[in-house]
Amino acid sequence: MNEYLAKSKPRETIQEHTDNLVKNFKILKEIYPNLNINWDILYWAVIYHDLGKMNLKFQSKLKGKRISGEIPHGILSLAFIDYEKLEDEEYSEEDIRVLFHAVAYHHDRKFDFSEDELIDEISLMEKEVDNFYYDKIPDLIINEEIEADYFYKNDRIFLNENKEGLFFKYTLIKGLLNRLDYAASAYIPVERKNDFLVEGMEKLGFIWNDLQKFMLKNQSENLIVVAQTGMGKTEGGLLWIGDNKGFFILPLKTAINAIYDRVVQIIGNGVEEKVGLLHSDTYKEYLAREKDEKIGIDDYFKRTKQLSLPLTICTLDQLFDLVYRYPGFEQKLATLSYSKIVIDEIQMYSPDLLAYLIIGLEYINKVGGKFAILTATLPGIIVDLLKESKIEFKMPEKPFIDNELKRHSVKILDNEIDKGIILEKYKKNKVLIICNTVKKAQEIYGELKEYIEKERLNLFHSKYIRKDRGEKEQAILEIGSKNSKEYGIWIATQIVEASLDIDFDILLTELSDLNGLFQRMGRCYRKRNFEGTGYNCYVFCGKGISGVNKVVDKDIHKFSKEALKNIDGFITEENKINMIDKVYSTKSLENTEYYKKLKKSIKYVKSFEDYELTKSETRDRFRNISSWNIIPKTVYDKNIDKIEELMKIIKEKHISREERFKAKLAVLEYTVAIYEYDYYKYNVEGIIELSKYERIYIYNCEYSKELGFKNVEKQEDSINNII
């Protein structure tokens, strides 16, 4: 018998590689036996998927010699499918078509071959079949051509061809075949069983409150639940997931990191086999937590990226880019078909991200996945859009709130924030000032400098290099801790609006919108009664409020201002929910730019043909962010020796992946992301190429650890230095 390889690094035969897929197939079926798929079809897809690698052009390529005219092995594998036998065994025509398409497209390649070339190549493989034996298919045959009833060149199963059921059936088989294939290639189990979360929650010894009991009672339902801050929404979400595969989705990395750490405490040992965090800085966070105990970060990272862990805490973009149906999206949707997804902080998503969420939940619902939206404030527009998409869900009769708690006494002021009122309220309190823009925050900081001791005055926004931002985040967490006796003034932007567990005595804030305001108020008297006299929250609504019609929607700002006009004093949680209902109802918003943008985004995403966009194009559209990673020139000049030393490590070929990654992360610590409105190409003074696809721009601007990034006038010099 001849030896036909599936891969050369490491060397593995087609039979050995397929056996690894079969092993993972059994793991998947054992953990999720009730998955709504035809298991036989998936099994045959596993068996047939790589047989086309038997062709000699592929074998020659693995030995380092490329021969022109190679046809993708997924297409050649179709010639081996014994469709007549499958027909005799009464598999449906639809199932056999799904099998053909899953095998053909398990790698999405260009089909630049003719029908004659395909028949010739199949003919050549007939000679190889005699020298091939695989015990899992001893009666292997090869057809003279590919049966056109099931597949022909460029044939595809589309969502929009009025066969939605067929599309999702194909998506699940193809997606799971990919999962099994990638897991086999990485030598990791495709799934690990969740048999620890229920036990971990029980060990907490808590008496569950009404919210948590509701989540436990409705584990098999799609849910939308409103509960105020401090009600234990995270525990409620984990109880709802139970011993199932789960994803916890939040908008901010800081929140994800914090919940990951809480879950780690709950589940105890063996974290790297049970729970992962998934966002753009996953590897960095794993490195930071490795400490003294080696956990095999590379494998842990691999398991996380392949969605193999039972529980994953992640950002929306890690999963919901599937809405664009790019080649390869199937493995994410297939995974979510047997998962439970918790979505928190939904009010923080922009209209385009909200559109992705609505469409994603529609697809997930159709393939069998479950979701629970847990939020402190629920814009009514979301409920209406889910109903419009015919998604069934359950809501409790009333929100879970505690009106006995009196946290916020609010004063509405029809003017701008000024230093006079800040200094009046300071009096050795912990004062938090939140502005709508970085520029405004920097201005107020400048005005206060001569009045407040340097060590008591701080600024925090998104335009610091990562290293400085991390230090500032840690500092605000320390002073904002409920046990901290320190005092001082922190001026910030919406970066502190959600997820940071900080508790200040007094809040002074520009009005953004009602949702944002209530999130900001959550950073003041977070879980305690305000027993003083007067007010602890001051909201500035006058002319000159920064960011309106730029970072804040002008219509929602206007409606929010209107809703607040009669507020003077204590505001209950029920008041907040009623105001949100009024401002964010479909009736209120239907003529606003916000609503038009949301509806337009939904229509826009659905207008794309299946597989029209590449994964890379999808990533750019999904994030809808034109941002550049820069190193301020002054930071670069100060650290040039260290950066050049790190770049040598990154470009060194004979070094471990972990060392290279550490060096890359160390370079990124000097960077800050700036957006389109701050980017002038003539201010770029050099480029650092981390890889073929990753660039950092050395950028002429003002920067200090005190104020962060400030742009300067456009310079006329061109890029002259690539590192």
Side-chain angles (χ1 to χ4, degrees):
M1 290 292 110
N2 284 348
E3 187 177 69
Y4 298 94
L5 297 180
K7 54 165 63 174
S8 57
K9 295 179 182 177
R11 186 182 176 88
E12 196 171 66
T13 64
I14 292 173
Q15 295 94 323
E16 288 167 339
H17 175 61
T18 307
D19 281 348
N20 281 333
L21 265 81
V22 171
K23 185 177 168 186
N24 274 300
F25 171 88
K26 290 176 179 173
I27 291 171
L28 184 70
K29 192 173 181 181
E30 183 182 337
I31 300 176
Y32 300 105
N34 298 321
L35 222 168
N36 187 25
I37 59 163
N38 187 325
W39 285 102
D40 289 346
I41 292 298
L42 180 58
Y43 178 79
W44 286 120
V46 165
I47 296 299
Y48 285 120
H49 83 289
D50 266 359
L51 291 179
K53 287 182 176 176
M54 217 182 291
N55 83 86
L56 294 184
K57 289 189 176 75
F58 181 87
Q59 293 299 311
S60 177
K61 183 173 69 178
L62 289 187
K63 293 170 185 168
K65 186 179 178 184
R66 287 185 178 271
I67 301 173
S68 63
E70 183 185 342
I71 295 175
H73 70 265
I75 298 300
L76 295 176
S77 294
L78 302 181
F80 295 93
I81 297 178
D82 192 348
Y83 63 90
E84 290 181 343
K85 184 180 175 185
L86 294 172
E87 289 170 349
D88 290 344
E89 293 176 1
E90 298 186 346
Y91 288 94
S92 70
E93 185 178 319
E94 196 172 76
D95 279 338
I96 298 173
R97 189 175 177 217
V98 165
L99 170 62
F100 269 74
H101 281 253
V103 171
Y105 290 108
H106 79 275
H107 297 299
D108 225 295
R109 303 271 162 75
K110 282 187 179 177
F111 293 169
D112 52 357
F113 55 86
S114 68
E115 289 298 327
D116 288 342
E117 288 169 333
L118 177 59
I119 290 173
D120 288 346
E121 198 62 50
I122 292 172
S123 173
L124 289 172
M125 284 198 304
E126 288 175 4
K127 299 173 186 172
E128 311 305 323
V129 173
D130 294 336
N131 294 313
F132 181 87
Y133 177 76
Y134 185 28
D135 60 355
K136 291 186 174 56
I137 186 164
D139 51 351
L140 181 65
I141 59 107
I142 183 166
N143 299 295
E144 292 181 355
E145 57 187 10
I146 294 167
E147 175 51 47
D149 285 347
Y150 300 117
F151 185 86
Y152 52 87
K153 187 180 173 185
N154 294 324
D155 181 22
R156 291 212 82 141
I157 297 172
F158 290 105
L159 174 63
N160 299 324
E161 62 179 19
N162 297 321
K163 291 183 177 178
E164 187 177 280
L166 175 63
F167 177 79
F168 286 118
K169 185 185 282 190
Y170 159 71
T171 297
L172 295 191
I173 294 294
K174 195 265 184 181
L176 292 174
L177 174 61
N178 283 147
R179 290 283 316 279
L180 297 170
D181 196 12
Y182 299 154
S185 294
Y187 304 100
I188 61 172
V190 65
E191 286 290 351
R192 291 173 186 270
K193 189 175 182 180
N194 182 350
D195 54 4
F196 54 86
L197 190 54
V198 169
E199 184 183 352
M201 296 299 289
E202 286 174 352
K203 282 183 178 175
L204 290 174
F206 293 166
I207 296 173
W208 305 126
N209 61 26
D210 289 344
L211 161 68
Q212 292 152 350
K213 287 176 184 172
F214 178 83
M215 300 303 289
L216 266 173
K217 188 179 176 183
N218 293 282
Q219 283 181 316
S220 59
E221 306 283 346
N222 291 330
L223 298 177
I224 299 181
V225 178
V226 179
Q228 75 180 58
T229 302
M231 274 285 176
K233 292 197 294 292
T234 302
E235 286 77 9
L238 294 173
L239 288 168
W240 177 76
I241 290 173
D243 277 350
N244 296 286
K245 188 174 181 70
F247 292 89
F248 220 105
I249 296 177
L250 294 117
L252 300 175
K253 288 187 279 188
T254 48
I256 289 169
N257 299 341
I259 289 192
Y260 170 82
D261 290 335
R262 283 173 69 183
V263 174
V264 165
Q265 287 181 348
I266 291 170
I267 63 178
N269 297 328
V271 169
E272 66 274 20
E273 305 288 345
K274 297 175 179 174
V275 59
L277 63 84
L278 187 55
H279 54 58
S280 56
D281 286 333
T282 298
Y283 204 94
K284 175 187 169 187
E285 295 300 329
Y286 283 173
L287 277 174
R289 286 162 176 77
E290 187 181 26
K291 296 179 182 173
D292 299 327
E293 187 182 349
K294 283 282 179 185
I295 56 174
I297 286 182
D298 272 356
D299 282 345
Y300 187 18
F301 184 62
K302 206 181 288 176
R303 288 193 289 275
T304 306
K305 293 288 284 183
Q306 291 208 11
L307 311 179
S308 297
L309 294 165
L311 197 57
T312 304
I313 326 291
C314 62
T315 44
L316 190 75
D317 61 312
Q318 298 292 336
L319 297 176
F320 278 63
D321 58 355
L322 62 87
V323 297
Y324 279 107
R325 308 176 310 283
Y326 58 86
F329 85 98
E330 301 92 342
Q331 54 178 321
K332 289 185 180 177
L333 190 56
T335 305
L336 296 177
S337 74
Y338 55 92
S339 300
K340 301 179 79 173
I341 303 127
V342 175
I343 297 149
D344 197 0
E345 308 278 16
I346 195 169
Q347 78 286 342
M348 289 199 70
Y349 293 118
S350 59
D352 50 351
L353 291 177
L354 207 49
Y356 302 146
L357 187 66
I358 300 290
I359 299 170
L361 291 180
E362 183 183 336
Y363 291 165
I364 292 164
N365 186 56
K366 284 179 178 173
V367 296
K370 295 289 179 187
F371 69 87
I373 296 173
L374 278 165
T375 181
T377 53
L378 177 66
I381 194 172
I382 293 173
V383 176
D384 291 340
L385 287 169
L386 288 172
K387 286 179 179 173
E388 205 174 286
S389 300
K390 297 183 171 51
I391 301 173
E392 293 186 0
F393 54 85
K394 183 174 181 179
M395 294 182 73
E397 291 180 2
K398 56 183 181 179
F400 295 95
I401 53 177
D402 178 4
N403 275 323
E404 299 300 314
L405 198 60
K406 292 185 175 180
R407 300 190 295 157
H408 302 125
S409 179
V410 180
K411 181 67 177 174
I412 307 298
L413 295 161
D414 195 21
N415 51 278
E416 292 182 68
I417 297 180
D418 65 65
K419 65 176 185 291
I421 190 168
I422 297 170
L423 295 172
E424 179 190 332
K425 300 300 171 189
Y426 176 35
K427 296 175 184 172
K428 295 189 176 181
N429 282 304
K430 286 192 279 189
V431 176
L432 179 62
I433 300 161
I434 304 182
C435 303
N436 292 337
T437 64
V438 172
K439 185 179 177 184
K440 183 71 174 179
Q442 289 171 330
E443 284 175 6
I444 291 179
Y445 178 87
E447 290 175 11
L448 291 174
K449 274 180 71 174
E450 64 180 286
Y451 301 96
I452 306 294
E453 311 98 294
K454 187 177 179 182
E455 62 275 15
R456 301 289 180 191
L457 184 65
N458 291 279
L459 181 64
F460 184 37
H461 52 69
S462 60
K463 291 184 180 175
Y464 287 101
I465 62 171
R466 291 190 188 191
K467 180 173 176 289
D468 294 342
R469 180 171 166 170
E471 290 175 12
K472 284 180 175 285
E473 184 173 312
Q474 189 56 40
I476 196 172
L477 284 170
E478 286 172 11
I479 192 175
S481 162
K482 63 182 180 183
N483 299 320
S484 171
K485 303 296 181 191
E486 288 295 319
Y487 61 92
I489 296 176
W490 275 80
I491 304 157
T493 60
Q494 63 176 359
I495 193 172
V496 299
E497 199 168 287
S499 304
L500 278 185
D501 190 6
I502 52 176
D503 187 8
F504 279 70
D505 300 322
I506 293 173
L507 170 72
L508 296 98
T509 178
E510 291 187 305
L511 175 65
S512 54
D513 66 282
L514 214 53
N515 251 324
L517 173 63
F518 293 155
Q519 288 295 323
R520 293 175 184 190
M521 286 165 64
R523 313 304 121 188
C524 175
Y525 276 76
R526 189 162 173 73
K527 296 178 185 175
R528 52 189 172 130
N529 266 317
F530 176 57
E531 295 174 346
T533 56
Y535 310 96
N536 61 353
C537 294
Y538 298 84
V539 183
F540 295 83
C541 305
K543 286 183 180 177
I545 296 299
S546 66
V548 177
N549 207 25
K550 292 177 180 173
V551 296
V552 180
D553 183 275
K554 67 178 172 55
D555 293 319
I556 297 179
H557 178 82
K558 179 183 166 189
F559 297 155
S560 300
K561 187 175 176 180
E562 179 70 19
L564 289 165
K565 68 179 182 183
N566 294 323
I567 299 295
D568 185 30
F570 279 106
I571 179 170
T572 66
E573 299 305 316
E574 187 173 3
N575 290 150
K576 293 177 188 173
I577 287 170
N578 290 338
M579 291 165 74
I580 291 286
D581 281 347
K582 186 176 178 183
V583 169
Y584 295 91
S585 68
T586 304
K587 186 178 176 184
S588 294
L589 297 181
E590 61 187 354
N591 293 319
T592 64
E593 287 302 313
Y594 176 91
Y595 187 76
K596 288 174 188 170
K597 187 174 181 183
L598 176 54
K599 294 290 283 185
K600 189 177 173 183
S601 295
I602 292 175
K603 193 174 177 183
Y604 173 75
V605 175
K606 289 192 172 182
S607 71
F608 282 96
E609 294 291 338
D610 309 321
Y611 315 111
E612 182 178 342
L613 297 178
T614 65
K615 186 174 182 180
S616 169
E617 290 169 335
T618 294
R619 187 174 58 237
D620 293 343
R621 279 174 172 76
F622 186 82
R623 290 179 177 165
N624 193 23
I625 292 172
S626 298
S627 69
W628 286 262
N629 251 352
I630 66 151
I631 298 180
K633 181 70 164 51
T634 51
V635 174
Y636 178 77
D637 289 343
K638 189 176 176 184
N639 298 280
I640 187 167
D641 291 341
K642 181 64 179 173
I643 291 171
E644 287 185 349
E645 182 186 329
L646 291 166
M647 288 306 298
K648 281 182 186 173
I649 296 172
I650 291 168
K651 293 185 182 301
E652 171 61 53
K653 290 182 179 176
H654 306 291
I655 198 166
S656 72
R657 183 171 181 270
E658 184 172 334
E659 289 304 309
R660 187 176 291 112
F661 218 106
K662 283 179 179 175
K664 180 180 160 186
L665 289 174
V667 173
L668 290 172
E669 285 294 291
Y670 299 109
T671 66
V672 54
I674 63 169
Y675 298 101
E676 197 164 12
Y677 49 82
D678 273 327
Y679 178 80
Y680 305 141
K681 68 178 181 180
Y682 294 116
N683 283 2
V684 175
E685 298 207 349
I687 294 174
I688 295 174
E689 292 188 334
L690 288 180
S691 70
K692 188 177 176 183
Y693 305 104
E694 290 179 281
R695 287 183 156 199
I696 298 171
Y697 299 89
I698 301 165
Y699 196 82
N700 183 32
C701 59
E702 291 180 23
Y703 183 86
S704 68
K705 188 171 181 179
E706 183 183 18
L707 291 174
F709 169 90
K710 287 180 84 172
N711 222 338
V712 295
E713 293 297 317
K714 297 178 185 180
Q715 304 295 305
E716 295 302 324
D717 295 331
S718 58
I719 298 170
N720 55 20
N721 186 20
I722 296 182
I723 298 168

